[in-house]
Amino acid sequence: MNNKPAILLIYTGGTIGMVKDFKTGALRAFNFDQLVERIPELHLLECSIETYSFEVPIDSSDMRPEMWVQMASVIEENYKKFDGFVILHGSDTMSYSASALSFMLENTRKPIILTGSQLPIGDLRTDAKENLITAIQIAALQENNKPVIQEVCLYFEYKLYRGNRTSKVSSELFNAFTSPNIPHLAESGVNLRVNKALLEYKNETLPLTVHKEMSRNVMILKVFPGIQQKVLKAILNIEDLEGIVLETYGSGNAPTESWFLNTLAEAIAKGLKVINVTQCSSGSVHMGKYETSTELKEIGVISGKDITTEAAITKLMFLLAQKNVVDFKEAFETPICGEMEL
């Protein structure tokens, strides 16, 4: 009897699935059916591996909610057959996809690990093999016949992060991602160390629920010194705009000029959802801590607390598409799957 964990490898595109044509130097996608041929070390893993590839692999710069739905649907269709899932994804938008999937795949009790690489799999110095092999090993980790990891995560350069807590911080270093406000969940070295106290676990009686609706009527606006009223008004008056993630200074501070606050207040009164997140690479929004954020709180701006911009925009897209949200402010400020502090 074969009791090896079964892992489904889902290839969406990205650098990790490329090989270099050594005559021309150009990168091209390789035949994913030849994966084991490219990485024979996969034979040594204590799990069985099957693969699924997007019919047309994409550069992650072209990632859209429709692709998130496709990934979520593949997981939904294969959820009972496999013990874990590894998604190969371009690094540029990986944090957005990891965040989106964490909201879309409600009550997952199986690991969904996103990984990729900075160099193609066929490159001599590639980081692709280590990232892929260890991501699969982590997805196959079990204790008492249950997966150790039961959430959407991102693995890159020896570290496993909660997916909706990550941001890409380097376009050149192998250590390309960070989790600014909580520690990594696991680290790969001579041993694979898992910080079990940080892991998310769902009620075993709750079924996997896959949400496939995401609003695209959203945007991100970064506050900067010199921002003009006509610019802010033009943005807030975009037709069908439902929500905006406002990147403010420090712990949630913004200009206190009356035109700025009044313009925001008018938009909020018309139903626009405004989420306050910090521009800082780490830390939290504390609305009311300083006078410059007190008025934002008073006009109905929603606190993003310590959420990343990537998780904020995808959570906004997710919640706006839900039909049963009674109190949007409360819904956003309440953690769904570990994406923010309580």
Side-chain angles (χ1 to χ4, degrees):
M1 185 176 176
N2 184 7
N3 290 320
K4 284 185 178 182
I7 305 300
L8 181 63
L9 200 56
I10 302 168
Y11 177 58
T12 67
T15 302
I16 193 168
M18 299 290 181
V19 289
K20 185 179 285 187
D21 185 317
F22 290 103
K23 289 184 179 178
T24 66
L27 295 177
R28 56 179 174 80
F30 75 94
N31 183 345
F32 222 66
D33 294 333
Q34 299 172 353
L35 179 67
V36 177
E37 192 180 302
R38 289 280 175 184
I39 311 180
E41 295 93 333
L42 295 179
H43 281 303
L44 304 175
L45 296 177
E46 290 296 315
C47 60
S48 62
I49 301 168
E50 290 186 32
T51 61
Y52 172 93
S53 178
F54 274 22
E55 191 172 331
V56 181
I58 63 162
D59 186 293
S60 75
S61 299
D62 291 321
M63 188 56 61
R64 302 187 304 278
E66 295 92 319
M67 277 80 170
W68 297 336
V69 171
Q70 187 175 347
M71 289 179 232
S73 298
V74 170
I75 291 168
E76 180 182 31
E77 290 160 12
N78 292 279
Y79 192 73
K80 291 181 179 178
K81 184 180 175 184
F82 292 92
D83 300 293
F85 303 86
V86 173
I87 299 175
L88 301 187
H89 192 294
S91 61
D92 285 348
T93 58
M94 196 186 296
S95 289
Y96 290 95
S97 293
S99 297
L101 289 172
S102 73
F103 302 123
M104 297 168 77
L105 296 166
E106 183 181 355
N107 300 324
T108 181
R109 293 193 302 281
K110 295 184 180 182
I112 294 125
I113 315 292
L114 285 82
T115 194
S117 66
Q118 294 285 65
L119 288 174
I121 208 162
D123 197 282
L124 190 62
R125 295 178 51 253
T126 187
D127 55 330
K129 286 188 179 183
E130 195 284 322
N131 286 347
L132 176 56
I133 290 167
T134 308
I136 293 171
Q137 281 188 309
I138 291 170
L141 277 180
Q142 293 198 345
E143 224 173 56
N144 301 320
N145 292 319
K146 293 180 181 178
V148 172
I149 307 298
Q150 299 185 15
E151 55 183 294
V152 178
C153 295
L154 188 157
Y155 180 80
F156 224 87
E157 187 65 5
Y158 307 119
K159 289 179 180 176
L160 180 76
Y161 307 100
R162 175 162 298 137
N164 57 32
R165 287 288 200 152
T166 61
S167 292
K168 186 177 180 183
V169 291
S170 176
S171 61
E172 295 184 352
L173 298 176
F174 286 152
N175 185 18
F177 288 86
T178 186
S179 175
N181 290 318
I182 67 163
H184 49 269
L185 305 183
E187 185 166 8
S188 172
V190 174
N191 298 303
L192 187 60
R193 297 195 303 272
V194 180
N195 189 344
K196 292 182 181 177
L198 290 174
L199 300 180
E200 284 270 310
Y201 292 105
K202 299 296 183 183
N203 187 324
E204 290 192 15
T205 63
L206 298 173
L208 174 72
T209 302
V210 181
H211 302 276
K212 298 179 183 179
E213 298 293 325
M214 298 286 275
S215 171
R216 295 182 67 167
N217 298 323
V218 296
M219 74 163 300
I220 299 166
L221 174 62
K222 188 169 189 169
V223 175
F224 60 92
I227 187 169
Q228 295 186 71
Q229 182 177 14
K230 62 183 180 182
V231 172
L232 183 63
K233 271 194 169 182
I235 289 169
L236 298 184
N237 286 325
I238 291 171
E239 188 178 0
D240 297 327
L241 185 67
E242 295 181 276
I244 186 168
V245 172
L246 191 68
E247 287 193 348
T248 58
Y249 309 127
S251 57
N253 305 313
T256 56
E257 294 170 274
S258 58
W259 69 260
F260 183 86
L261 293 166
N262 290 340
T263 304
L264 275 181
E266 287 170 16
I268 292 169
K270 291 176 183 175
L272 186 73
K273 313 302 182 188
V274 180
I275 315 299
N276 188 357
V277 303
T278 177
Q279 295 178 15
C280 298
S281 56
S282 64
S284 182
V285 161
H286 296 285
M287 285 166 60
K289 182 178 181 181
Y290 296 100
E291 186 180 347
T292 47
S293 63
T294 299
E295 290 183 84
L296 292 179
K297 186 176 181 180
E298 288 174 354
I299 64 173
V301 172
I302 297 165
S303 175
K305 301 182 181 180
D306 65 343
I307 199 169
T308 63
T309 295
E310 293 91 337
I313 195 69
T314 51
K315 185 175 184 178
L316 184 59
M317 296 167 84
F318 169 74
L319 287 176
L320 286 169
Q322 303 305 303
K323 310 297 184 214
N324 58 349
V325 177
V326 178
D327 186 329
F328 195 92
K329 183 177 186 295
E330 183 183 359
F332 195 95
E333 292 181 352
T334 302
I336 296 173
C337 45
E339 75 280 2
M340 58 163 53
E341 64 185 2
L342 283 169

